Amino acid sequence: MEQSTVKRKWANWKFVVFIIILLAVFVKFFVLDEHDENATVTVALDLGQVAFRNEQEVEAILGPGKLDSYFSDAKAGCEKCPKRIYREGKIEIIFINEIADRIVLKDLSDYEFENRVILGLLNLKENIEPKLDEDEIKRWDNYEKYTQIAAFSAKGDLDYILIKCKTE
């Protein structure tokens, strides 16, 4: 048997390193998702400033609202709770027991249906996996102090977000 020379061993190692680099490039460009974890996220509604507030406090933050209708739900303890519209219909808030309890953000089709984007739109920092994660709905139960946060998809993009602050 012939012994391999140092040059031959070096050539074999260079070939192995070259293959590993090619594999890494392939994985980087064709396998991994393209979203940037450090990219800035747009805040559509600072949920911490609006949730659990009364109508006057919400109006001070979001500007004047318009009474849309009245909401009734026996389970929530609400017979005739006001549903107000803010920011040209993009935000709906139902005041149950005189606090902003059910909040809906609408017209969000410009945003991706990703956890980081959904939570970022509400200015929520903790990236927790949703309890329910399907093609058309993502739902977080008991996220921090909120009873439920649900995001709904339409055609792959975000459609609207429903937040139940206190009631179920």
Side-chain angles (χ1 to χ4, degrees), residues 113-120 122 124 126-144 146-152 158 161-162:
F113 192 62
E114 289 185 11
N115 299 348
R116 183 183 61 80
V117 173
I118 295 164
L119 297 173
L122 301 172
L124 299 172
E126 196 171 345
N127 194 6
I128 299 173
E129 290 297 313
K131 297 280 185 201
L132 177 66
D133 191 349
E134 295 180 358
D135 291 340
E136 296 181 358
I137 184 171
K138 292 179 187 260
R139 188 182 74 220
W140 291 264
D141 293 328
N142 298 315
Y143 182 98
E144 294 178 356
Y146 309 104
T147 303
Q148 186 180 91
I149 298 172
F152 299 89
L158 185 59
I161 301 172
L162 168 67

Side-chain angles (χ1 to χ4, degrees), residues 50-55 58 93-96 98-103 165-166:
V50 174
F52 305 107
R53 309 279 185 204
N54 64 33
E55 289 185 47
V58 170
I93 299 178
I94 299 173
F95 291 89
I96 300 175
E98 299 181 9
I99 62 167
D101 198 328
R102 291 198 183 171
I103 303 168
C165 298
K166 189 175 180 181

Side-chain angles (χ1 to χ4, degrees), residues 39-77:
T40 58
V41 177
T42 305
V43 176
L45 173 71
D46 191 343
L47 189 59
Q49 290 185 349
V50 174
F52 305 107
R53 309 279 185 204
N54 64 33
E55 289 185 47
Q56 291 77 23
E57 292 171 323
V58 170
E59 210 166 272
I61 295 165
L62 297 178
K66 180 178 82 171
L67 181 64
D68 182 54
S69 61
Y70 289 97
F71 175 79
S72 296
D73 185 355
K75 185 178 177 185

Side-chain angles (χ1 to χ4, degrees), residues 12-25:
N12 288 341
W13 278 108
K14 284 197 299 188
F15 181 72
V16 169
V17 169
F18 179 71
I19 295 299
I20 291 172
I21 291 172
L22 281 178
L23 184 62
V25 168

